[in-house]
Amino acid sequence: MSSTTQGSGGTTRAGGEKTTGKVVAIAVVAAVGGFLFGFDSSVVNGAVDALADQFSIGALLKGFTVSCALLGAAVGAWFAGPLADKFGRTRVMVIAAAIFAVSAIGSGLAFAVWDLILWRAVGGVGIGAASVIAPAYIAEVSPAAIRGRLGSLQQFAITVGILSALVSNALLAGAADGAASDFWLGLPAWRWMFLVGVIPAVVWAALALAVPESPRYLVAKGRQEEAGRVLASIQGLKDRGLVKRRIAEIAKHLAAEREPSLRDLRGPRLGLKPIVWVGILLSVFQQAVGINVIFYYSTSLWSSVGFDEQQSGLFSVITAVTNVLVTLIAIALVDKVGRRPMLLAGSLGMTASLGAMALAFTQGTADGQDLSLPAPWGPVALVAANLFIVSFGITWGPVVWVLLGEMFPGRIRAAALSVAAAAQWIANFVISTTFPPLAEVGLPLAYGLYTVLALLSFFFVLKAVPETKGRELEDMDDLRVERRERARA
């Protein structure tokens, strides 16, 4: 066994592991899946009104057209873990990239609303697979001391993908003088908003073919020598004896286990292990606060409360830029502050900012189907929305993905992450589909509901979420033992 040191953040290993440019580069490649995840899920933002007009769809069907990708994402997330355990992490990345590319072409060339829904759902399968495989792979290749920061690259890439989609949409709509106006090759601009997604999909597939397989997957398949070479290369380990001990540690946790499957998640709490329920509820709360309502409907939202189309597009880009910048702050903090304190602070910040948005929308006045906010409530709503983005982007956005990549024991990691990610996409689907009907009843109702859920997330973290800062992945079983002992005491 390698030597260890015990601190307030948990057990860390000494012995020469260090940050290398290679491990950072590999983590960045995996995180490109997060870029596609953000791009594909948000690209509909700028197209939703134009396609709704073209296909003559109402509020409920418009909501389903936006959120149907999330049903596909739940399917992709559910199967990605078992497929990654069987065929390898990098192969699943390539498959997910191919699915993204096919979906981008199909969505851009859709001839009816049902056709568009079908291709959006196909793209969702790729989103779901990326949401599982990228954090799992990053966690498995990263040294413990910087695993949180590298894991946060997934959320950073998601925010960059969201921003890129919004900027791309704005440029295309501006060049064509409107999302519904014809552009290149006689296709309306909203179709090109989808079609440009082929470019990052091809890039990710090419990069995924160039990175090594996860050492833990290689050990699970009996390829210890290859796993040792990969581990030494990506983590900068020069001591061959240390490499052998690290591989032996991984093998010890896997040797007595059967081939991992979803059956391994069964336990005494409503049919699942308690740690799996923690992952599921983390995922659900991350979406239940309504974060993606901002990114899927922000252009329509700001238009509905009195801002013109150009202002609404600009405000959407501003919120996306804010999301990118605050995620950089999260990357700097997550391995220093810890996971639990960041989540607790984020819950309180989201509760306050969502409450302010709900209050602002109570001051709106309706004129037919249009709603306007009198001074100073329009700026109040805009500032509160950006404070909500800050609260989420520094905490719940990246930290949940870090925890999901590292909190589960090795033998169930991929399968448990699949279930947790599937739950996240189902929650995202429910929130995104119900927002247009809720908004028709009243925006205060929608944002009041999200405020209550943000407050509940604080108490959930306080009671159930473990701290994993500084822990090796092989120590997660020990972490649960310690928590049980503290509970008995």
Side-chain angles (χ1 to χ4, degrees):
M1 296 290 289
S2 60
S3 61
T4 62
T5 59
Q6 184 74 34
S8 60
T11 303
T12 59
R13 277 171 169 70
E17 88 175 4
K18 61 181 182 181
T19 306
T20 67
K22 189 168 186 177
V23 75
V24 174
I26 289 171
V28 168
V29 168
V32 174
F35 177 93
L36 284 168
F37 164 175
F39 187 97
D40 194 79
S41 60
S42 295
V43 70
V44 71
N45 186 310
V48 62
D49 288 336
L51 66 88
D53 289 340
Q54 176 154 347
F55 296 129
S56 301
I57 57 178
L60 186 59
L61 187 55
K62 180 168 75 171
F64 185 74
T65 304
V66 170
S67 59
C68 64
L70 307 176
L71 291 179
V75 174
W78 183 270
F79 289 105
L83 288 174
D85 284 331
K86 185 172 184 179
F87 299 111
R89 280 57 168 153
T90 56
R91 289 180 182 175
V92 174
M93 288 186 208
V94 174
I95 293 170
I99 293 172
F100 275 121
V102 170
S103 169
I105 295 171
S107 298
L109 301 179
F111 55 83
V113 66
W114 68 264
D115 184 40
L116 177 62
I117 288 172
L118 171 64
W119 291 114
R120 291 276 297 155
V122 169
V125 175
I127 293 173
S131 72
V132 169
I133 200 62
Y137 179 82
I138 291 171
E140 291 180 350
V141 301
S142 301
I146 61 165
R147 191 176 60 240
R149 275 170 280 174
L150 294 183
S152 297
L153 289 174
Q154 164 81 350
Q155 179 64 20
F156 178 70
I158 292 171
T159 66
V160 174
I162 292 170
L163 174 61
S164 298
L166 294 175
V167 170
S168 173
N169 288 351
L171 292 174
L172 287 166
D177 197 25
S181 301
D182 287 347
F183 190 49
W184 196 35
L185 298 180
L187 297 175
W190 71 262
R191 293 186 180 276
W192 285 105
M193 293 176 184
F194 292 111
L195 289 169
V196 295
V198 173
I199 298 171
V202 171
V203 170
W204 192 35
L207 292 173
L209 289 170
V211 297
E213 187 51 82
S214 160
R216 286 174 175 81
Y217 169 79
L218 294 172
V219 171
K221 294 302 179 182
R223 296 154 63 181
Q224 278 86 347
E225 186 175 342
E226 183 180 353
R229 290 196 301 270
V230 171
L231 189 65
S233 174
I234 64 179
Q235 294 192 2
L237 300 176
K238 303 297 184 182
D239 185 340
R240 301 179 86 179
L242 174 61
V243 173
K244 290 182 179 180
R245 290 193 298 273
R246 293 291 302 277
I247 295 300
E249 284 183 18
I250 296 170
K252 178 182 176 181
H253 283 79
L254 297 173
E257 304 295 339
R258 63 183 180 276
E259 190 74 14
S261 73
L262 295 173
R263 291 190 301 273
D264 295 320
L265 307 184
R266 293 175 181 170
R269 299 281 180 87
L270 298 177
L272 294 173
K273 297 180 185 296
I275 193 67
V276 178
W277 278 116
V278 173
I280 289 172
L281 290 173
L282 270 173
S283 291
V284 169
F285 274 117
Q286 190 200 48
Q287 297 303 316
V289 296
I291 184 63
N292 282 311
V293 166
I294 299 290
F295 293 117
Y296 297 166
Y297 295 104
S298 58
T299 301
S300 299
L301 174 65
W302 298 124
S303 295
S304 74
V305 295
F307 296 106
D308 63 34
E309 183 178 355
Q310 186 175 3
Q311 288 175 321
S312 298
L314 176 61
F315 293 153
S316 296
V317 172
I318 289 172
T319 58
V321 170
T322 301
N323 198 24
V324 171
L325 294 178
V326 297
T327 304
L328 290 173
I329 298 173
I331 292 172
L333 292 178
V334 66
D335 284 319
K336 297 178 181 178
V337 176
R339 285 55 160 161
R340 272 172 53 88
M342 292 179 70
L343 290 178
L344 291 169
S347 294
L348 295 177
M350 291 188 299
T351 301
S353 54
L354 286 167
M357 289 183 71
L359 176 61
F361 289 133
T362 64
Q363 307 303 308
T365 56
D367 180 14
Q369 292 186 333
D370 296 325
L371 179 70
S372 62
L373 293 180
W377 293 106
V380 167
L382 185 60
V383 170
N386 279 281
L387 289 176
F388 171 51
I389 296 295
V390 170
S391 299
F392 180 89
I394 292 180
T395 60
W396 277 80
V399 173
V400 167
W401 288 113
V402 171
L403 278 168
L404 293 181
E406 67 187 11
M407 66 188 285
F408 302 116
R411 69 184 180 85
I412 66 166
R413 181 171 299 115
L417 215 167
S418 291
V419 171
Q424 181 171 129
W425 292 115
I426 292 171
N428 194 341
F429 170 78
V430 172
I431 295 296
S432 301
T433 303
T434 57
F435 177 73
L438 281 174
E440 287 195 340
V441 175
L443 289 172
L445 172 63
Y447 283 94
L449 175 62
Y450 305 150
T451 302
V452 171
L453 291 167
L455 182 60
L456 290 176
S457 73
F458 175 86
F459 295 103
F460 165 67
V461 174
L462 198 63
K463 179 176 177 59
V465 176
E467 181 57 74
T468 57
K469 184 183 75 170
R471 296 270 180 171
E472 290 290 347
L473 294 185
E474 286 72 39
D475 292 337
M476 294 307 165
D477 283 318
D478 299 334
L479 176 63
R480 298 205 322 280
V481 170
E482 289 176 14
R483 289 184 71 238
R484 287 196 295 268
E485 290 175 349
R486 287 198 302 268
R488 294 191 190 103

